[in-house]
Amino acid sequence: MNSPAHTLRPAAPADLPAIVGLIRELAEFEELLHLVVVTPESLQSHLFGARPAAEAVVAEVEGQVVAFALFFGNFSTFLGRPGLYLEDLYVQPAHRGSGLGKALLRHLAALAVERGCGRFEWSVLDWNENAIRFYETMGATVMPEWRICRVTGDALAGLATPGPALSPASPAAAPESGAP
């Protein structure tokens, strides 16, 4: 059985409801749906405003958005060059194994090369063994010696406030449950 052809293209404002729907599907898969607050309206300015914070590529099959990749630029001080960071990549289950994930990664890798990036990076949950194997077949190196640090919510507000530093025992410094 052949899979229907897919089309990759930059996201457009009309795709926002579909992208948010896919974000919700991803969060459900990661068992983090309770953390999702994004709406098409809240994402609009961050993807399409005067100073976009991120970009997105969508994959369509038969006119329906079935996958997306959301990414943004970062910078490597060691390389002295920009990089590309993939925040999320999601392919609906019915379309997995059809080459969409590989096509999205290749598209972003080509974009990174075109933009002169020294790195293309992303994170993967340690329990997502299928994704880890897939990324390794694509040439990625999983870096177990690195850990993600995050400050959010009250801890972020506390860190931004001049005064004594928060200690790890401080309730405001307590880590929040995982979500990208």
Side-chain angles (χ1 to χ4, degrees), residues 10 15 23 26-27 44 56 58 74 79 86 92 96 104 113 119 126 128 132 144-146 166 170 179:
D15 297 317
I23 290 169
L26 172 61
Q44 168 84 35
V58 296
N74 61 11
L79 297 177
L86 173 61
Q92 288 182 322
R96 292 184 189 151
L104 283 164
V113 169
R119 292 181 180 161
D126 61 0
N128 195 343
I132 291 169
E145 64 278 9
W146 287 88
L166 296 173
S170 168

Side-chain angles (χ1 to χ4, degrees), residues 72-76 81-85 112 115-121:
F72 54 88
N74 61 11
F75 193 83
S76 168
R81 293 174 63 190
L84 197 71
Y85 189 84
R115 294 181 181 182
C117 295
R119 292 181 180 161
F120 174 31
E121 297 179 306

Side-chain angles (χ1 to χ4, degrees), residues 52-125:
E55 299 173 66
V57 173
V58 296
E60 288 182 319
V61 173
E62 297 177 344
Q64 297 296 309
V65 174
V66 300
F68 83 105
L70 192 140
F71 59 98
F72 54 88
N74 61 11
F75 193 83
S76 168
T77 56
F78 285 13
L79 297 177
R81 293 174 63 190
L84 197 71
Y85 189 84
L86 173 61
E87 179 65 26
D88 281 322
L89 184 150
Y90 180 76
V91 176
Q92 288 182 322
H95 299 280
R96 292 184 189 151
S98 68
L100 277 178
K102 185 180 286 191
L104 283 164
L105 282 176
R106 288 187 186 281
H107 179 83
L108 294 180
L111 190 59
V113 169
E114 177 185 307
R115 294 181 181 182
C117 295
R119 292 181 180 161
F120 174 31
E121 297 179 306
W122 61 91
S123 300
V124 61
L125 291 167

